[in-house]
Amino acid sequence: MLPGEKYHLFNHANGRENILNKQKNYTFFLQKLAIHILPVCKLFSYCLMPNHFHLVLEIHNEEELILLWQKPESDSKLNQTDLTHKISKSFGNLFSSYTQSFNKVYNRKGSLFIPSMKMEQITDDNYFCKVIHYTHTNPVHHGFTKMIEDWPHSSYKIFLSTSSTKLERDYVLAMFGGFDAFIKYHQQPIDLKDKFLE
């Protein structure tokens, strides 16, 4: 993952187990996401499901990441290779810390997530909107619910509210052309002709 770029990320349970079993698991995952990922990224949307999740985000630019990670006493400036490694490590820390807690609570051992997280770079505004829509519609696509708004573990309802949020809500709504256009876009079926991460 490169600084300043937008991505659609996906990860799945390693095997047939679920990664999220109860409401407290969903809440805890979002807490870990806030700790490990939000300092590194702008978050546009998310959807958590029992056995997988989707995130749409933008990695902070190089200057922001250097401010985050550069030690004041260091003479050498972090280069892009250093930054890319640290970005990956942030996601590794998310998965590791969640897995350790999950394993302790459920008395299990071993990895919980597929080791290689899937990702696609978002290259234009049209694709950005399609991926946000796909992310929010994923619980319907996989049969977890019949209506987008009925799934409690996605960012969709946050866009319908005015409550404070760590999501980039105003930016996303503007990309869709405003609140009404965002709702209308989400009322259409997802376009399965496009290649997504599943």
Side-chain angles (χ1 to χ4, degrees):
M1 285 178 280
L2 299 173
E5 298 297 333
K6 294 182 178 72
Y7 293 94
H8 173 205
L9 306 178
F10 163 90
N11 209 345
H12 196 282
N14 187 13
R16 295 177 180 266
E17 288 182 272
N18 286 337
I19 54 176
L20 300 153
N21 290 326
K22 299 178 180 178
Q23 174 61 47
K24 65 180 182 180
N25 300 139
Y26 289 92
T27 302
F28 187 68
F29 186 90
L30 290 175
Q31 290 169 348
K32 290 293 184 182
L33 185 76
I35 292 168
H36 296 288
I37 304 305
L38 292 188
V40 181
C41 304
K42 296 175 183 176
L43 184 61
F44 299 120
S45 72
Y46 67 85
C47 189
L48 312 180
M49 285 156 284
N51 60 358
H52 70 288
F53 68 85
H54 292 265
L55 303 174
V56 181
L57 47 79
E58 180 181 315
I59 309 297
H60 288 321
N61 63 39
E62 284 190 21
E63 290 77 15
E64 292 170 305
L65 295 175
I66 288 169
L67 282 174
L68 176 66
W69 286 318
Q70 183 78 47
K71 294 181 180 178
E73 67 275 10
S74 176
D75 292 330
S76 59
K77 186 178 177 182
L78 293 169
N79 59 37
Q80 192 169 66
T81 302
D82 298 327
L83 295 177
T84 302
H85 173 74
K86 285 180 173 290
I87 293 163
S88 296
K89 186 167 173 50
S90 296
F91 283 91
N93 289 341
L94 166 65
F95 300 138
S96 176
S97 63
Y98 181 83
T99 298
Q100 287 175 27
S101 298
F102 188 93
N103 285 354
K104 186 175 181 181
V105 169
Y106 293 103
N107 194 29
R108 70 179 295 280
K109 293 181 179 180
S111 61
L112 184 60
F113 297 92
I114 291 173
S116 298
M117 176 176 61
K118 293 182 182 178
M119 71 182 83
E120 286 184 342
Q121 190 171 349
I122 298 170
T123 53
D124 60 57
D125 295 348
N126 181 51
Y127 189 63
F128 177 83
C129 291
K130 284 187 176 184
V131 170
I132 296 278
H133 176 230
Y134 178 82
T135 298
H136 289 150
T137 314
N138 210 246
V140 177
H141 174 58
H142 287 289
F144 290 119
T145 187
K146 291 185 178 179
M147 304 287 290
I148 302 175
E149 57 269 25
D150 291 340
W151 188 248
H153 309 298
S154 84
S155 54
Y156 180 72
K157 286 186 183 179
I158 295 171
F159 289 98
L160 309 186
S161 76
T162 56
S163 60
S164 62
T165 179
K166 294 177 181 176
L167 285 176
E168 301 292 323
R169 180 169 53 205
D170 291 343
Y171 177 88
V172 172
L173 291 176
M175 291 290 279
F176 278 87
F179 179 82
D180 291 339
F182 176 86
I183 298 297
K184 186 175 181 180
Y185 197 111
H186 278 74
Q187 288 171 344
Q188 64 184 339
I190 55 174
D191 187 355
L192 293 176
K193 294 194 300 292
D194 288 302
K195 181 183 176 235
F196 290 101
L197 299 171
E198 270 305 301

